Amino acid sequence: GDLDKVVNLLLSLSGRLARVENVLSSLGDNADSEERSSLNEKRKLLAGQHEDARELKENLDRRERLVLDILGNYLSEEQLQDYQHFVKMKSALLIEQRELDDKIKLGQEQLKCLMESL
């Protein structure tokens, strides 16, 4: 459960940080300095939160290694490899699910815009 939460948190923060950086980079020279300042503050805040989430992930990885060592005393080599595969696939599938959800959301937004333009 912690793995799900931390991976989703990292993905969410990464996406939000990327969106803020995209908006900042697309601001022209005529952009309001207050808006630019606000976006820079938001970027700093998100970058800090992202770093905190990375630390959480590192702690989770350390905990996972401890659990793996303990399980090594109780499981066969094959069972241990199955467990490791499960944990790796769970993270990969969470990332893939998030990407698919983002693509679906984007597609729905594009469809909405197309329908409105008709």
Tab-separated table of all heavy atoms in Angstrom, residues 66-81 83:
chain	number	residue	atom	x	y	z
A	66	LEU	N	14.885	-4.744	3.696
A	66	LEU	CA	14.805	-5.438	4.984
A	66	LEU	C	13.773	-6.561	4.936
A	66	LEU	O	14.020	-7.671	5.422
A	66	LEU	CB	14.455	-4.457	6.106
A	66	LEU	CG	15.526	-3.467	6.510
A	66	LEU	CD1	14.980	-2.446	7.496
A	66	LEU	CD2	16.718	-4.193	7.111
A	67	VAL	N	12.622	-6.274	4.360
A	67	VAL	CA	11.578	-7.292	4.232
A	67	VAL	C	12.075	-8.441	3.369
A	67	VAL	O	11.844	-9.615	3.679
A	67	VAL	CB	10.273	-6.676	3.653
A	67	VAL	CG1	9.285	-7.756	3.245
A	67	VAL	CG2	9.651	-5.724	4.651
A	68	LEU	N	12.786	-8.109	2.319
A	68	LEU	CA	13.328	-9.128	1.425
A	68	LEU	C	14.318	-10.034	2.176
A	68	LEU	O	14.297	-11.258	2.002
A	68	LEU	CB	14.004	-8.458	0.231
A	68	LEU	CG	14.383	-9.353	-0.931
A	68	LEU	CD1	13.151	-10.025	-1.520
A	68	LEU	CD2	15.091	-8.538	-2.004
A	69	ASP	N	15.164	-9.435	3.002
A	69	ASP	CA	16.101	-10.232	3.802
A	69	ASP	C	15.363	-11.171	4.748
A	69	ASP	O	15.731	-12.335	4.900
A	69	ASP	CB	17.040	-9.331	4.608
A	69	ASP	CG	18.065	-8.628	3.742
A	69	ASP	OD1	18.280	-9.060	2.582
A	69	ASP	OD2	18.650	-7.627	4.217
A	70	ILE	N	14.317	-10.654	5.374
A	70	ILE	CA	13.528	-11.484	6.299
A	70	ILE	C	12.821	-12.598	5.536
A	70	ILE	O	12.832	-13.760	5.956
A	70	ILE	CB	12.520	-10.615	7.080
A	70	ILE	CG1	13.265	-9.665	8.023
A	70	ILE	CG2	11.535	-11.486	7.847
A	70	ILE	CD1	12.403	-8.588	8.640
A	71	LEU	N	12.224	-12.248	4.406
A	71	LEU	CA	11.528	-13.261	3.613
A	71	LEU	C	12.485	-14.321	3.090
A	71	LEU	O	12.092	-15.470	2.888
A	71	LEU	CB	10.785	-12.604	2.444
A	71	LEU	CG	9.545	-11.799	2.802
A	71	LEU	CD1	8.975	-11.124	1.554
A	71	LEU	CD2	8.500	-12.662	3.468
A	72	GLY	N	13.749	-13.931	2.870
A	72	GLY	CA	14.748	-14.890	2.409
A	72	GLY	C	14.935	-16.041	3.368
A	72	GLY	O	15.327	-17.148	2.958
A	73	ASN	N	14.620	-15.827	4.635
A	73	ASN	CA	14.730	-16.895	5.640
A	73	ASN	C	13.547	-17.855	5.601
A	73	ASN	O	13.634	-18.947	6.161
A	73	ASN	CB	14.845	-16.297	7.048
A	73	ASN	CG	16.102	-15.478	7.222
A	73	ASN	OD1	17.145	-15.808	6.670
A	73	ASN	ND2	16.003	-14.396	7.975
A	74	TYR	N	12.457	-17.446	4.995
A	74	TYR	CA	11.235	-18.240	5.042
A	74	TYR	C	10.772	-18.767	3.683
A	74	TYR	O	9.981	-19.705	3.627
A	74	TYR	CB	10.097	-17.405	5.651
A	74	TYR	CG	10.383	-16.985	7.062
A	74	TYR	CD1	10.857	-15.706	7.344
A	74	TYR	CD2	10.195	-17.863	8.121
A	74	TYR	CE1	11.137	-15.313	8.642
A	74	TYR	CE2	10.464	-17.485	9.437
A	74	TYR	CZ	10.942	-16.207	9.684
A	74	TYR	OH	11.223	-15.831	10.971
A	75	LEU	N	11.221	-18.127	2.607
A	75	LEU	CA	10.754	-18.514	1.281
A	75	LEU	C	11.852	-19.234	0.509
A	75	LEU	O	13.047	-19.010	0.748
A	75	LEU	CB	10.321	-17.272	0.483
A	75	LEU	CG	9.199	-16.417	1.064
A	75	LEU	CD1	8.966	-15.202	0.182
A	75	LEU	CD2	7.925	-17.225	1.207
A	76	SER	N	11.426	-20.034	-0.435
A	76	SER	CA	12.388	-20.674	-1.336
A	76	SER	C	12.938	-19.605	-2.285
A	76	SER	O	12.384	-18.508	-2.396
A	76	SER	CB	11.720	-21.788	-2.131
A	76	SER	OG	10.798	-21.246	-3.059
A	77	GLU	N	14.005	-19.933	-2.987
A	77	GLU	CA	14.606	-18.992	-3.936
A	77	GLU	C	13.590	-18.594	-5.010
A	77	GLU	O	13.491	-17.431	-5.383
A	77	GLU	CB	15.842	-19.613	-4.587
A	77	GLU	CG	16.616	-18.664	-5.463
A	77	GLU	CD	17.192	-17.461	-4.730
A	77	GLU	OE1	17.568	-17.581	-3.552
A	77	GLU	OE2	17.248	-16.383	-5.353
A	78	GLU	N	12.829	-19.557	-5.484
A	78	GLU	CA	11.823	-19.274	-6.512
A	78	GLU	C	10.733	-18.355	-5.976
A	78	GLU	O	10.318	-17.403	-6.653
A	78	GLU	CB	11.212	-20.582	-7.018
A	78	GLU	CG	10.238	-20.392	-8.162
A	78	GLU	CD	9.650	-21.704	-8.659
A	78	GLU	OE1	10.299	-22.745	-8.521
A	78	GLU	OE2	8.516	-21.660	-9.174
A	79	GLN	N	10.274	-18.611	-4.773
A	79	GLN	CA	9.243	-17.768	-4.175
A	79	GLN	C	9.765	-16.350	-3.954
A	79	GLN	O	9.042	-15.369	-4.157
A	79	GLN	CB	8.776	-18.363	-2.839
A	79	GLN	CG	7.972	-19.623	-2.979
A	79	GLN	CD	7.704	-20.279	-1.634
A	79	GLN	OE1	8.563	-20.303	-0.757
A	79	GLN	NE2	6.493	-20.826	-1.482
A	80	LEU	N	11.021	-16.249	-3.558
A	80	LEU	CA	11.635	-14.948	-3.333
A	80	LEU	C	11.737	-14.164	-4.649
A	80	LEU	O	11.453	-12.965	-4.698
A	80	LEU	CB	13.011	-15.124	-2.705
A	80	LEU	CG	13.614	-13.924	-2.004
A	80	LEU	CD1	12.698	-13.416	-0.900
A	80	LEU	CD2	14.980	-14.287	-1.441
A	81	GLN	N	12.095	-14.853	-5.716
A	81	GLN	CA	12.160	-14.204	-7.026
A	81	GLN	C	10.775	-13.782	-7.487
A	81	GLN	O	10.616	-12.712	-8.077
A	81	GLN	CB	12.797	-15.143	-8.049
A	81	GLN	CG	14.281	-15.307	-7.856
A	81	GLN	CD	14.881	-16.314	-8.817
A	81	GLN	OE1	14.173	-16.959	-9.598
A	81	GLN	NE2	16.203	-16.465	-8.769
A	83	TYR	N	8.335	-12.882	-5.523
A	83	TYR	CA	8.018	-11.707	-4.722
A	83	TYR	C	8.695	-10.467	-5.308
A	83	TYR	O	8.051	-9.415	-5.466
A	83	TYR	CB	8.449	-11.922	-3.270
A	83	TYR	CG	8.372	-10.661	-2.445
A	83	TYR	CD1	7.146	-10.192	-1.971
A	83	TYR	CD2	9.513	-9.919	-2.155
A	83	TYR	CE1	7.059	-9.029	-1.228
A	83	TYR	CE2	9.437	-8.749	-1.416
A	83	TYR	CZ	8.225	-8.313	-0.954
A	83	TYR	OH	8.133	-7.153	-0.225
